[in-house]
């Protein structure tokens, strides 16, 4: 089953249930060695420069596109509630707060329902990225599913 991905107002919301326990999904999302393998749309690879998953902690990484373009990223964690919730601002060094993200990890028996809310400052900002961001999120969550299936 593909991830449910939609635009609601100034948010992009992705929902996916994984056939994996919550601790495993949390670990895949917060361990730099694991996240480097699956993060990003199809064809992307990652270099993790630092990842400190704690309030005020920074996650710096470069996404390497299949077209050869590098995309530097900077995340600052605001709230970390293991293994339930991550709240962070995401951007790059020139604009560290391009959008705000809330990720929830909910137990559903032996499965985990993940809900990712990406909140932009305006509906216009969402419209500017929606064409590629919706597919990108769908593919990213698909890559996470494939990664978890190998665990």
């Amino acid at each position: 089953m593909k991830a449910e991905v939609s635009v609601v107002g100034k948010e992009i919301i992705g929902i996916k249930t994984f056939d994996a326990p919550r601790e495993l999904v949390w670990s895949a999302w917060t361990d730099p060695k694991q996240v480097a393998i699956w993060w990003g749309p199809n064809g992307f690879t990652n270099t993790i420069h630092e990842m400190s998953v704690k309030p005020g902690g920074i996650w710096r990484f470069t996404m390497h596109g299949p077209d050869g373009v590098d995309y530097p990223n900077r995340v600052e964690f605001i709230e970390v509630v293991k293994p339930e919730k991550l709240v962070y601002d995401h951007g790059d060094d020139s604009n560290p707060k391009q959008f705000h993200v809330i990720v929830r990890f909910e137990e559903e028996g032996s499965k985990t329902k993940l809900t990712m809310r990406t909140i932009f400052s305006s509906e216009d900002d969402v419209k500017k990225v929606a064409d590629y961001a919706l597919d990108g999120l769908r593919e990213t969550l698909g890559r996470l599913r494939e990664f978890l299936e190998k665990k």
Side-chain angles (χ1 to χ4, degrees):
M1 182 178 128
K2 286 191 175 181
E4 298 172 39
V5 177
S6 58
V7 174
V8 179
K10 61 182 187 173
E11 296 186 31
I12 294 175
I13 301 172
I15 301 170
K16 175 101 177 113
T17 300
F18 297 96
D19 191 9
R22 181 166 67 168
E23 288 283 348
L24 192 65
V25 179
W26 175 271
S27 177
W29 197 282
T30 58
D31 173 18
K33 289 183 178 133
Q34 294 182 62
V35 78
I37 296 168
W38 64 266
W39 184 265
N42 296 340
F44 279 75
T45 60
N46 300 284
T47 301
I48 309 298
H49 306 290
E50 66 177 301
M51 187 177 201
S52 178
V53 184
K54 64 182 183 183
I58 301 296
W59 172 22
R60 285 184 200 278
F61 60 102
T62 302
M63 295 175 65
H64 310 286
D67 57 359
V69 177
D70 287 342
Y71 301 91
N73 285 260
R74 179 189 189 278
V75 167
E76 181 172 350
F77 292 99
I78 298 164
E79 185 179 357
V80 177
V81 183
K82 182 181 180 179
E84 300 171 13
K85 180 168 73 166
L86 293 170
V87 179
Y88 56 84
D89 288 326
H90 192 144
D92 57 29
D93 286 334
S94 65
N95 184 5
K97 296 185 179 188
Q98 290 177 16
F99 46 89
H100 184 75
V101 179
I102 301 168
V103 186
R104 293 194 178 275
F105 304 78
E106 299 173 78
E107 282 185 313
E108 292 191 344
S110 63
K111 298 181 179 189
T112 303
K113 178 182 176 185
L114 184 139
T115 303
M116 183 175 184
R117 295 174 53 214
T118 304
I119 306 160
F120 293 82
S121 56
S122 70
E123 289 186 26
D124 282 344
D125 286 349
V126 173
K127 288 176 186 171
K128 290 176 190 172
V129 300
D131 284 347
Y132 65 87
L134 293 171
D135 285 340
L137 179 54
R138 196 174 289 111
E139 291 175 9
T140 298
L141 295 177
R143 289 182 69 191
L144 174 56
R145 177 189 52 77
E146 291 169 6
F147 176 79
L148 292 167
E149 286 174 352
K150 295 174 185 170
K151 298 293 274 169

